[in-house]
């Protein structure tokens, strides 16, 4: 079966040689997968438009010994909104890097592909980009099994009240008595914990119902960054650019 179909989003593109691209797809069928698109950087190449980052398409691939090659593509959605606005592009690039860094090749997860498509729609068209990015971070962490404990103290199991702290290293929230268990723990309001619980389980289409004050947004940003750093070991390349774009608006 040398030819196969892929319902996928292009999450990364690297130049290869004079006119080729090495693409990283996130697909419904096979999860993350890399493939070569021969000639895709030539102006009139038929693969050109369908191999742009953010594109959702139906791809026909040819299996090879090394990297598979893209033989045909049909664009389902090009997500132009993500290319035409700098802040949306920065947010989208950041989210795709989070996805790329947190996933391994050929490990499909049924719920991750529809979540990615919903997130791209939200990032391309939604009105609250910052919250969309937070929802993507929390949603992907929980879908991959890295969800922090948010209902009871991760150290003693006591129910959490208004005063709490968040420890990325211990994987959840700490009650005031256990706070000293992690010197790096981030102080967090009850409302922020509730928002985190909502983001971990609510569909992205219901994000508009969440109203968050600026201080809770800052706490959320700090918490998701700490969680990603714990999982990945280092900051994401596109994180600094996203911060720069968002602070400059
Ligand atoms: Zn405790």
């Amino acid at each position: 079966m040398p030819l196969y179909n892929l319902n996928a989003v292009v999450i990364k593109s690297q130049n290869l040689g004079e006119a080729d691209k090495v693409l990283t797809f996130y697909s419904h069928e096979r999860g993350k997968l890399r493939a070569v698109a021969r000639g895709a950087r030539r102006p009139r190449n038929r693969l050109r438009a369908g191999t742009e980052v953010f594109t959702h398409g139906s791809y026909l691939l040819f299996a090879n010994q090394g990297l598979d090659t893209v033989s045909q593509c049909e664009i389902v959605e090009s997500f132009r909104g993500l290319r035409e606005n700098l802040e949306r592009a920065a947010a989208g690039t950041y989210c795709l890097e989070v996805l790329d860094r947190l996933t391994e090749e050929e490990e499909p997860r049924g719920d991750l592909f529809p979540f990615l498509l919903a997130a791209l729609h939200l990032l391309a068209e939604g009105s609250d980009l910052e919250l969309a990015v937070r929802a993507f971070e929390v949603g992907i962490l929980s879908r991959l099994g890295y969800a922090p404990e948010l209902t009871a103290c991760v150290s003693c199991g006591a129910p959490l009240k208004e005063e709490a702290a968040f420890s990325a290293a211990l994987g959840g929230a700490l009650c005031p008595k256990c706070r000293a268990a992690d010197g790096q723990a981030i102080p967090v309001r009850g409302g922020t914990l509730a928002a985190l619980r909502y983001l971990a389980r609510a569909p992205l289409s219901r994000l508009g119902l969440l109203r968050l004050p600026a201080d809770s947004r800052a706490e959320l940003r700090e918490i998701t960054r700490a969680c990603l750093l714990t999982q990945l070991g280092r900051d994401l390349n596109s994180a600094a650019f996203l911060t720069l774009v968002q602070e400059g608006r």
Side-chain angles (χ1 to χ4, degrees):
M1 196 187 68
L3 277 172
Y4 63 94
N5 273 303
L6 218 52
N7 177 17
V9 170
V10 179
I11 65 167
K12 193 165 152 187
S13 168
Q14 291 159 296
N15 292 345
L16 175 75
E18 268 187 26
D20 303 343
K21 285 180 182 176
V22 175
L23 303 176
T24 306
F25 290 109
Y26 196 87
S27 70
H28 178 64
E29 296 87 347
R30 299 170 66 157
K32 191 166 82 172
L33 181 93
R34 293 197 313 145
V36 180
R38 301 260 176 236
R41 276 154 56 218
R42 295 211 167 92
R44 275 188 292 279
N45 187 276
R46 65 198 159 75
L47 295 177
R48 188 181 171 95
T51 54
E52 297 281 330
V53 172
F54 299 127
T55 305
H56 170 209
S58 172
Y59 298 86
L60 190 64
L61 279 85
F62 194 85
N64 289 319
Q65 289 287 353
L67 285 181
D68 297 352
T69 49
V70 181
S71 162
Q72 287 175 38
C73 67
E74 196 176 312
I75 297 174
V76 176
E77 166 82 65
S78 62
F79 291 106
R80 272 177 59 196
L82 285 171
R83 286 192 202 93
E84 291 173 348
N85 170 295
L86 183 61
E87 193 181 352
R88 291 187 193 277
T93 302
Y94 169 79
C95 288
L96 293 186
E97 193 190 348
V98 170
L99 173 68
D100 185 25
R101 293 277 304 279
L102 283 175
T103 53
E104 299 292 334
E105 286 188 39
E106 305 265 6
E107 281 184 7
R109 294 189 45 100
D111 54 347
L112 215 50
F113 186 69
F115 175 72
L116 170 63
L117 290 180
L120 290 175
H121 276 287
L122 198 61
L123 292 162
E125 298 141 26
S127 56
D128 192 336
L129 263 189
E130 188 192 8
L131 209 51
V133 172
R134 295 294 91 80
F136 183 82
E137 293 168 326
V138 176
I140 194 168
L141 285 167
S142 63
R143 277 168 181 78
L144 291 171
Y146 306 131
E149 170 59 53
L150 300 166
T151 48
C153 171
V154 73
S155 174
C156 74
L160 295 164
K161 306 232 169 61
E162 188 52 31
E163 287 292 301
F166 184 85
S167 164
L170 298 174
L174 290 167
C175 74
K177 276 192 211 148
C178 299
R179 214 199 129 151
D182 178 3
Q184 313 277 313
I186 303 160
V188 57
R189 290 168 181 76
T192 308
L193 283 181
L196 267 173
R197 287 194 290 267
Y198 183 81
L199 291 175
R201 59 159 216 274
L204 291 174
S205 56
R206 298 181 68 86
L207 200 61
L209 300 175
L210 194 60
R211 296 273 173 272
L212 273 184
D215 44 13
S216 271
R217 285 172 182 262
E219 287 177 2
L220 272 183
R221 187 164 57 237
E222 217 182 325
I223 287 169
T224 55
R225 177 163 182 264
C227 287
L228 286 170
L229 265 176
T230 303
Q231 293 304 331
L232 301 173
R234 66 179 169 88
D235 243 333
L236 291 122
N237 298 328
S238 52
F241 183 60
L242 176 61
T243 307
L244 195 72
V245 169
Q246 291 194 323
E247 282 172 355
R249 80 189 147 180

